[in-house]
Amino acid sequence: MPTPSAPPTAAESPPVQQPSILLDLAFLRLWTGATASGLATWALPFVLGLAVFERTLTATDLGLLLAARTVGFLAAVPVAGVLADRHSRRGVVLWAGLASGTAAPVIAAGLGRSVLLMAAAAAVAGAGQGACRPAYQALTAEVVDAGRRQQANAAMTLAVRVTTLVGPSSAALLAVFLDTWALLVGIGLLWLVAACAPVTGARPGAAEGAPEPAAGAVSASFLAEFAEGVREARRHPWFLAGLGALTAVIATGYSATGVALPLVSRDEYGTEVVLAGAMTAYTAGALGGALLMARWRPRFPGWAALTGLAAYGFAPLSLVFPVHPVVVMAAYAVAGIGIELFNVPWFTAAQREVAPDKLARVSSLDFLLSYGLAPLGLALIAPAIDAFGATAVLAGCALVCFAAPATAALASGARAFSVPRGGGTTP
């Protein structure tokens, strides 16, 4: 007869099942704000494209406005990272959203009158968008407890994927009833929701496993404070390796998606169906990946994430050989699933491992490098195709997408996106 065991201690008790993150009002408000900002972000280029169609804006002017928005975004990201660590992250989201919300009707006011005014407003809109990104990332860690952050990040990235579909399509539907000016004002209202919806979170006292910041340490300047964020990032070898891999994949694989896919769809298949089908498959795959990561807890989350990131290589690889269009669409679906297998553990690990008072700066470094080099890849891939041919360039892009995450997997702590306490390393 077995001997009765002693009652489990508190440390041995099974964990209490936590309620769904979707029942958390504070997170729902944060999610609503992030979704509104995503809708506004994706709708703006489409609405400006409608202005070109209506001949109130030229194609050259459209390129200038989108470039101005990108410049504003990249300029604001590092500044917002410092401000969000120095001050209230809720306050940064508020002022960033208000800036973008004010810029949208100014863009409308400049239609047909002043391209310079519109460009200045587009830069402000981009700055607001860029300032929101690291602040929202850090605010998630304040609003959501550590045990539910992966679920929260999955919900946030799911919202991003939905807005890529709903934003342009909703703008197209509303364009039947409203003119461009009214649509731009509506984008401004979405930014007001993004500014006002989130609540103030409780900033954690310290990251799990991270050393406490030195008491009374005061940065001498903005550059010094940003450098502190860079030093914090360097303290996590897995983060630097993963960021390098992410940057390489976006600069090559994303460029293949943005430039080479339309060319191949036109020249090799003679129809836009391949382009539309591949992009739809990618978004559908990403939605599936986000839903999967809301529940799945892989044994080695870092390696699983980097494997997902490497899956983006199937997208350019599918364009190298003359295959059936369904194969191209399937490859893009796999790439979409993989990118979310990476994104969710990546954001969750940063919120867990990075010192809380430097999280926004580290997040801003993430967005600055990964998004900042994407335009360079887009600008170079077309000349590279002209010089070396589509096959060689796409094969090179695929090789980089596979090799960069594989190399990052060798970094210390890459297996779990965490370096164990006590100075040990994880292969």
Side-chain angles (χ1 to χ4, degrees):
M1 181 175 182
T3 303
S5 59
T9 63
E12 298 169 338
S13 299
V16 178
Q17 183 67 34
Q18 294 179 309
S20 169
I21 193 66
L22 298 180
L23 300 178
D24 188 320
L25 180 59
F27 174 74
L28 281 179
R29 291 184 59 174
L30 180 69
W31 183 89
T32 299
T35 302
S37 70
L39 285 170
T41 297
W42 286 101
L44 181 59
F46 184 85
V47 172
L48 292 177
L50 290 177
V52 175
F53 181 79
E54 296 170 354
R55 299 186 185 278
T56 55
L57 194 69
T58 68
T60 300
D61 293 339
L62 174 61
L64 175 64
L65 296 183
L66 295 180
R69 187 177 74 151
T70 300
V71 169
F73 177 93
L74 295 177
V77 165
V79 176
V82 172
L83 292 178
D85 281 339
R86 181 192 295 173
H87 305 293
S88 164
R89 282 136 184 194
R90 173 68 187 87
V92 172
V93 167
L94 174 65
W95 288 107
L98 291 177
S100 290
T102 303
V106 174
I107 294 175
L111 271 174
R113 296 182 179 88
S114 172
V115 175
L116 182 61
L117 176 63
M118 296 179 69
V124 173
Q129 177 192 346
C132 273
R133 296 303 293 268
Y136 262 117
Q137 181 72 6
L139 194 56
T140 301
E142 295 184 5
V143 171
V144 182
D145 57 89
R148 294 187 295 170
R149 284 180 193 157
Q150 179 166 327
Q151 190 180 13
N153 287 318
M156 295 286 273
T157 193
L158 184 65
V160 170
R161 297 305 172 185
V162 171
T163 57
T164 63
L165 293 175
V166 176
S169 58
S170 298
L173 179 62
L174 291 173
V176 177
F177 308 100
L178 303 173
D179 59 15
T180 303
W181 192 92
L183 292 174
L184 287 170
V185 172
I187 289 174
L189 294 177
L190 284 173
W191 275 114
L192 292 182
V193 173
C196 299
V199 298
T200 301
R203 188 171 298 199
E208 295 91 331
E212 293 284 347
V218 179
S219 300
S221 65
F222 163 79
L223 290 178
E225 290 192 53
F226 188 74
E228 286 182 359
V230 174
R231 285 194 294 272
E232 173 65 18
R234 291 175 60 188
R235 202 174 62 81
H236 306 278
W238 60 267
F239 179 85
L240 291 182
L243 180 55
L246 176 62
T247 302
V249 168
I250 289 180
T252 55
Y254 178 76
S255 298
T257 297
V259 176
L261 177 60
L263 294 176
V264 172
S265 181
R266 181 196 67 191
D267 298 338
E268 300 297 330
Y269 295 95
T271 174
E272 69 278 5
V273 173
V274 176
L275 170 61
M279 295 309 298
T280 302
Y282 176 80
T283 302
L287 289 172
L291 290 172
L292 173 63
M293 293 311 298
R295 295 291 183 183
W296 184 41
R297 300 295 188 272
R299 181 180 180 186
F300 302 123
W303 281 354
L306 291 170
T307 300
L309 182 61
Y312 205 114
F314 290 110
L317 185 63
S318 69
L319 305 177
V320 173
F321 306 104
V323 296
H324 193 278
V326 173
V327 176
V328 177
M329 297 175 195
Y332 271 81
V334 170
I337 294 172
I339 201 67
E340 295 308 337
L341 294 185
F342 175 82
N343 279 338
V344 175
W346 177 253
F347 292 143
T348 304
Q351 293 161 352
R352 181 187 67 243
E353 299 292 322
V354 173
D357 63 318
K358 300 179 180 67
L359 178 56
R361 279 170 283 181
V362 172
S363 296
S364 71
L365 182 66
D366 180 356
F367 292 122
L368 185 63
L369 291 180
S370 57
Y371 283 87
L373 290 182
L376 180 62
L378 289 170
L380 293 179
I381 191 168
I385 289 175
D386 291 338
F388 305 105
T391 299
V393 172
L394 289 169
C397 288
L399 179 61
V400 171
C401 289
F402 291 134
T407 303
L410 302 176
S412 175
R415 181 169 63 185
F417 277 170
S418 173
V419 175
R421 300 182 186 184
T425 59
T426 300

